[in-house]
Amino acid sequence: MVMEEEEILGLFEVMSALLEDPGWAELHPQPCTDTPWPGIQCEIGDQDPPIFHVTKIHIGPDVVTPPCKSSANLSDSLFKLPFLKTLSIFNCFLTSPVTLSPTLFSATTSLEHLALVSNPALSGGIPPSISEIVSLRVLNLAQNNLQGEIPKEIGGLVNLEQLDLSYNNLSGEIPEEIGGLNGLTILDLSWNVIEGDLPSSLAQLPILQKIDLSSNRFVGRIPPELGMLNRLALFDLSSNFVNGPIPETLSGLENLEYLVVDHNPINAGMPLFIGTLRKLKSLSLSGCGLTGKIPNTITTMESLTALALDNNSLTGTIPPDLGALPNLDQLNLSHNQLSGQLQLPEEFIDRLGKRLDVRGNAGLCTSNQIYKKKNISTYLETPVCFNTTGPMNGKALGDDQHPDDDYERKKPSWHHDKMSSNAPGMDQKLIFSLTLAFSFCCLFSDFLIVRVL
């Protein structure tokens, strides 16, 4: 079994344009049989007699070091490889500028998997002619230096299952035509400068499992139609300019496991539907301007492993039942306006250690018993509550109530202006008051009360 002459010559020209090794063709004259190379794969065609065809070219540090020469480029001889199904080039175009030729995609219409990844010298735009590769199932152009807009013609790739354009300099808006990719399972456009509103046409991708739109410049609100994506497992919208509130329709994301909306000006209360997302493992809403209380429905989310609500304006108490969630291993509630007594179980506090952070909540206090533990995390250093035996009168402090206010309200009778008829004499009162102050000093090393009545 042999290869067609035109095809083998095309392969030699493609490899010569990429690799530093000028003798590659002499070392691998029969790359499909007697002199194989790890980055080349072949398949037997239907011809009689049988003929080998090159179906895969993979270039990367895992098969050759260094992977490419400094002047590496994509040869037009790719059109001589009509049976090529996979072309993957990693960490190859490093110095000399390389652009994606419009004719490149016209010549590789049998491709199913195209991955040009981690090539800092790969620049220019994505040619609209990419739509001619109708057989394409995976398109990965991540970690390059591509510019310009995402061509609307990309919606013509009707067989596409994965689209990854992350870590480039793509701009403009997401084309509405992306809704035509109804076989898409992964969409990653993160770390670009894409702007505008999120298109509601994303809801037309019925089997989508991952959306990562983080670190762009999206504005507006989350389209309520996205709640129709009931197969979605990951939704990352962090580091954009998206406003709230988060639509209640997202309760339809019944298979969602990761919801990340960090660093967006949501400026609304926490969505009450969150508790209905029973498969959610990680919820991150840091730095979103959230207001109001932490909903108790979160305490029913038994799949939750990580919860980050830090750097918001949340008020009220920390639901103690959070400590009963069996899988919760990270909890960050720092830098809010939470108050009251921290009543999380000691076992939970011990287990999480520094993965539990409640710093920066001025109204929050900790029971004396927990506070005295020698191995307590510095992330739990909060003032000691005056009532160390449990919640004040069985209740947590109110949203606008400070532990000092509660103490002032419950001062013993000898602090009142009017003394009772059986009040102690002046000397006795002085001794008692000094004793009381000394006791407070010993119990709470940072708090000294001395009153002389």
Side-chain angles (χ1 to χ4, degrees):
M1 290 182 288
V2 295
M3 294 182 64
E4 292 182 342
E5 183 177 358
E6 180 77 0
E7 191 172 350
I8 190 66
L9 287 176
L11 177 63
F12 291 161
E13 291 167 359
V14 169
M15 301 303 286
S16 176
L18 291 170
L19 301 184
E20 190 69 64
D21 185 1
W24 190 91
E26 287 76 16
L27 292 174
H28 306 279
Q30 300 181 56
C32 291
T33 53
D34 298 341
T35 54
W37 191 72
I40 302 293
Q41 289 185 11
C42 306
E43 294 180 10
I44 300 174
D46 297 330
Q47 299 92 338
D48 188 17
I51 297 177
F52 271 114
H53 299 293
V54 176
T55 56
K56 178 179 179 179
I57 298 177
H58 170 65
I59 308 291
D62 57 326
V63 294
V64 59
T65 303
C68 295
K69 59 185 180 182
S70 58
S71 59
N73 63 86
L74 286 170
S75 171
D76 288 338
S77 294
L78 282 167
F79 77 89
K80 297 179 181 179
L81 306 175
F83 299 92
L84 191 65
K85 296 180 182 179
T86 298
L87 176 62
S88 59
I89 301 177
F90 289 72
N91 200 34
C92 179
F93 311 123
L94 304 178
T95 54
S96 298
V98 177
T99 58
L100 297 176
S101 168
T103 59
L104 169 67
F105 301 116
S106 302
T108 53
T109 54
S110 62
L111 273 180
E112 298 179 2
H113 188 132
L114 176 60
L116 307 176
V117 180
S118 297
N119 299 289
L122 181 59
S123 58
I126 301 174
S129 60
I130 197 170
S131 61
E132 298 180 24
I133 317 178
V134 292
S135 57
L136 205 59
R137 293 187 296 108
V138 176
L139 176 58
N140 188 347
L141 301 177
Q143 301 176 44
N144 298 305
N145 193 24
L146 297 172
Q147 299 101 27
E149 299 185 2
I150 300 172
K152 64 181 181 180
E153 288 82 2
I154 208 167
L157 298 175
V158 293
N159 293 302
L160 201 62
E161 299 172 5
Q162 300 180 26
L163 175 60
D164 189 346
L165 305 177
S166 61
Y167 289 88
N168 281 285
N169 290 300
L170 298 171
S171 56
E173 301 184 3
I174 297 179
E176 288 283 345
E177 288 79 2
I178 206 166
L181 306 177
N182 55 17
L184 204 64
T185 60
I186 294 176
L187 174 62
D188 192 343
L189 305 178
S190 61
W191 291 92
N192 282 283
V193 287
I194 306 173
E195 57 191 8
D197 293 334
L198 301 177
S200 57
S201 61
L202 290 173
Q204 300 171 20
L205 308 177
I207 61 174
L208 201 61
Q209 298 174 21
K210 171 187 174 180
I211 302 180
D212 192 346
L213 305 177
S214 61
S215 299
N216 279 286
R217 299 179 180 176
F218 293 113
V219 296
R221 295 187 175 182
I222 300 173
E225 295 88 347
L226 296 189
M228 300 168 58
L229 301 175
N230 57 11
R231 296 193 185 184
L232 200 64
L234 182 147
F235 187 19
D236 191 342
L237 196 56
S238 59
S239 299
N240 280 285
F241 301 93
V242 174
N243 307 123
I246 298 174
E248 295 287 330
T249 53
L250 295 193
S251 60
L253 304 180
E254 56 190 33
N255 287 299
L256 195 65
E257 296 181 8
Y258 302 91
L259 177 58
V260 187
V261 194
D262 294 345
H263 307 299
N264 280 279
I266 299 298
N267 297 330
M270 282 193 64
L272 298 179
F273 71 84
I274 285 293
T276 65
L277 303 178
R278 299 298 183 186
K279 294 186 179 181
L280 202 63
K281 295 179 180 178
S282 180
L283 173 62
S284 192
L285 297 170
S286 304
C288 289
L290 296 179
T291 57
K293 298 182 179 182
I294 300 174
N296 285 325
T297 52
I298 287 185
T299 63
T300 65
M301 303 171 66
E302 295 190 353
S303 297
L304 203 62
T305 61
L307 175 61
L309 303 176
D310 54 287
N311 291 283
N312 286 294
S313 297
L314 295 170
T315 57
T317 58
I318 297 176
D321 288 343
L322 280 177
L325 291 176
N327 297 301
L328 190 59
D329 194 54
Q330 298 182 48
L331 177 60
N332 192 345
L333 303 176
S334 62
H335 303 291
N336 279 283
Q337 298 172 22
L338 298 169
S339 59
Q341 184 175 358
L342 184 66
Q343 299 182 62
L344 297 173
E346 289 192 49
E347 180 276 331
F348 178 78
I349 293 174
D350 288 338
R351 176 165 58 86
L352 266 63
K354 289 186 177 182
R355 297 188 304 278
L356 170 60
D357 193 347
V358 297
R359 294 172 296 173
N361 290 282
L364 194 65
C365 63
T366 312
S367 72
N368 184 43
Q369 186 177 7
I370 300 177
Y371 185 80
K372 288 196 306 181
K373 293 178 72 68
K374 293 182 180 180
N375 61 344
I376 191 170
S377 167
T378 56
Y379 296 172
L380 270 175
E381 287 185 355
T382 57
V384 179
C385 301
F386 286 91
N387 185 343
T388 60
T389 58
M392 285 76 166
N393 286 343
K395 298 180 180 179
L397 292 174
D399 296 352
D400 57 352
Q401 191 176 343
H402 189 274
D404 288 347
D405 298 333
D406 190 79
Y407 173 69
E408 289 292 327
R409 184 172 57 84
K410 295 188 175 183
K411 283 180 181 178
S413 59
W414 53 81
H415 287 284
H416 295 173
D417 292 334
K418 294 183 180 180
M419 306 303 297
S420 61
S421 58
N422 60 349
M426 185 60 67
D427 293 342
Q428 291 176 309
K429 287 186 291 182
L430 178 59
I431 295 172
F432 188 87
S433 183
L434 291 173
T435 303
L436 178 65
F438 181 75
S439 300
F440 269 81
C441 178
C442 295
L443 267 174
F444 316 112
S445 58
D446 59 346
F447 189 86
L448 177 61
I449 299 178
V450 178
R451 292 182 183 268
V452 180
L453 300 181

